[in-house]
């Protein structure tokens, strides 16, 4: 691996490397007003949520790397202590990008981007009508980290109200459907990510049941030339294994029996094919079947 010391390269170079590596990053599409009521709208990818009781969101309008100037959004939250964090999605990603243009103070980016302001309920800044979700926020603290170009300004916000478009709420009425949300995120340079299609996948969370861990897998599974680290972790997230009777019954599975018969004169290849079969099961979410296939090898003395 190459190593980069931020003290030995320019801030701009390290900034580029950092944003390329820490990705994807969610985007806070922040709407603010100054003390005269002038509206500002700008996206920030130094952003995330940090607690839910109270609900805390933090974003950072960092000082510009090239000339160490501040941003209108920061000036506004310091003046008024309020912000709406709109969540951008693919339908408005180019309008959101256009709003990042460095217009002069007092220029309304709602007008420039063609987006629609909607009056908020508990704060002065308007929210974006086209956004799938918007958090009305009170600013608890603005914490500057340094005073040079690229320095962070952590805007710590408490969400006091959340608006969500009806069409992105899941079937249970309590969650947000990621396919309908169609979120976007920032990568390095000019690159973005669209959270849609094959980009979305589910993993069982190891919260309720304590998995056995990779260290407890039989040696022939841990040292498999076929199974990946992700495959092993899925197996290690299992809390109970199939019984010996279930493993024995699996040996009558037609595909398993076919593979053994086909490679009966080549035991190493037969074992590799069983590992490939288990991998296929894992990729299909059939963890129990993967365990059964692999444990048949243990019953043959490979433990």
């Amino acid at each position: 691996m190459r190593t980069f010391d931020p003290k030995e390269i320019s801030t701009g170079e390290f900034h580029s490397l950092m944003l390329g590596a820490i990705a994807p990053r969610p985007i806070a599409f922040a709407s603010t007003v100054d003390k005269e009521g002038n509206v500002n709208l700008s996206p920030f990818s130094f952003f995330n949520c940090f607690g839910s009781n109270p609900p805390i969101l933090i974003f950072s309008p960092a000082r510009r790397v090239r000339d160490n100037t501040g941003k209108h959004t920061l000036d506004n939250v310091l003046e008024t202590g309020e912000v709406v964090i709109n969540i951008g999605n693919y339908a408005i990603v180019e309008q959101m990008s256009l709003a990042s243009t460095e217009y002069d103070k007092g220029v309304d980016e709602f007008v420039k981007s063609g987006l629609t302001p909607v009056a908020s309920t508990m704060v002065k800044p308007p929210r974006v009508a086209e956004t799938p979700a918007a958090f009305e926020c009170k600013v608890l603290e603005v914490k500057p980290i340094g005073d040079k170009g690229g320095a962070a300004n952590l805007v710590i916000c408490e969400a006091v109200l959340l608006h969500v478009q009806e069409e992105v709420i899941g079937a249970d009425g309590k969650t947000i459907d990621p396919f309908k949300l169609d979120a976007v995120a920032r990568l390095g340079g000019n690159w973005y990510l669209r959270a849609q299609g094959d980009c979305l996948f589910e993993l069982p969370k190891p919260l309720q049941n304590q998995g056995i861990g990779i260290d407890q897998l039989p040696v022939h599974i841990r040292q498999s030339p076929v199974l990946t680290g992700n495959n092993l972790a899925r197996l290690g997230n299992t809390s109970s294994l199939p019984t010996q009777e279930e493993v024995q019954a699996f040996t009558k599975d037609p595909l398993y029996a076919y593979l053994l018969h086909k490679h009966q004169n080549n035991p190493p290849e037969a074992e590799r094919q069983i590992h490939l079969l288990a991998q296929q099961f894992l990729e299909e979410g059939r963890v129990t079947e993967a365990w059964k296939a692999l444990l048949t090898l243990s019953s043959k003395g490979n433990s």
Side-chain angles (χ1 to χ4, degrees):
M1 298 183 72
R2 292 182 62 186
T3 301
F4 299 90
D5 186 335
K7 296 181 177 63
E8 294 181 355
I9 62 176
S10 72
T11 300
E13 289 174 303
F14 196 81
H15 176 88
S16 178
L17 289 165
M18 184 173 70
L19 269 58
I22 302 174
R25 300 183 307 282
I27 302 170
F29 198 17
S31 47
T32 58
V33 295
D34 63 17
K35 58 186 177 183
E36 279 80 36
N38 297 308
V39 176
N40 185 268
L41 180 64
S42 187
F44 299 92
S45 69
F46 290 173
F47 164 63
N48 220 308
C49 55
F50 292 86
S52 55
N53 188 21
I56 299 298
L57 310 181
I58 302 178
F59 73 101
S60 175
R63 300 190 66 81
R64 294 183 180 90
V65 172
R66 67 176 182 277
D67 59 7
N68 194 23
T69 55
K71 298 177 180 176
H72 299 143
T73 297
L74 178 62
D75 296 337
N76 290 353
V77 297
L78 287 170
E79 287 183 9
T80 67
E82 295 181 339
V83 60
V84 176
I85 296 180
N86 304 278
I87 304 300
N89 66 354
Y90 188 73
I92 62 169
V93 65
E94 297 217 30
Q95 290 172 282
M96 186 165 59
S97 176
L98 179 58
S100 70
T101 303
E102 294 177 6
Y103 295 110
D104 292 337
K105 183 173 176 59
V107 173
D108 187 340
E109 285 85 2
F110 275 96
V111 175
K112 290 294 186 181
S113 64
L115 292 167
T116 309
V118 175
S120 295
T121 304
M122 299 181 67
V123 298
K124 291 186 178 68
R127 55 191 174 89
V128 178
E130 292 83 357
T131 190
F135 295 85
E136 295 188 22
C137 299
K138 296 286 188 178
V139 177
L140 301 180
E141 181 182 357
V142 178
K143 187 173 182 61
I145 312 291
D147 57 7
K148 296 182 173 61
N153 293 287
L154 305 184
V155 181
I156 304 171
C157 309
E158 179 177 351
V160 294
L161 210 60
L162 167 62
H163 305 273
V164 181
Q165 294 284 5
E166 188 69 37
E167 55 265 29
V168 305
I169 296 178
D172 61 2
K174 299 178 181 179
T175 58
I176 291 177
D177 185 324
F179 291 93
K180 294 176 180 177
L181 183 66
D182 204 9
V184 292
R186 284 290 276 123
L187 306 174
N190 292 328
W191 291 97
Y192 285 74
L193 171 75
R194 182 181 188 182
Q196 192 56 262
D198 292 341
C199 290
L200 298 177
F201 60 93
E202 288 186 289
L203 287 179
K205 292 184 179 180
L207 297 177
Q208 296 180 340
N209 300 316
Q210 190 174 64
I212 63 173
I214 290 177
D215 63 313
Q216 295 300 308
L217 301 180
V219 173
H220 79 279
I221 298 178
R222 268 201 328 272
Q223 298 180 353
S224 170
V226 171
L227 301 176
T228 67
N230 281 338
N231 297 151
L232 297 179
R234 181 64 67 94
L235 293 168
N237 193 30
T238 305
S239 56
S240 61
L241 306 186
T243 65
Q244 188 173 357
E245 291 74 20
E246 289 173 324
V247 173
Q248 183 59 36
F250 179 80
T251 61
K252 297 181 175 58
D253 178 88
L255 181 54
Y256 176 86
Y258 166 77
L259 291 174
L260 283 189
H261 178 74
K262 180 179 180 181
H263 302 288
Q264 59 184 322
N265 296 322
N266 188 348
E269 180 58 22
E271 181 170 345
R272 192 179 79 88
Q273 289 296 325
I274 299 307
H275 280 247
L276 286 168
L277 177 62
Q279 185 177 59
Q280 178 183 330
F281 286 148
L282 289 170
E283 291 172 353
E284 294 171 354
R286 300 164 62 188
V287 181
T288 300
E289 283 83 356
W291 266 114
K292 291 176 183 177
L294 292 166
L295 291 177
T296 62
L297 299 175
S298 295
S299 67
K300 296 177 185 298
N302 299 308
S303 61

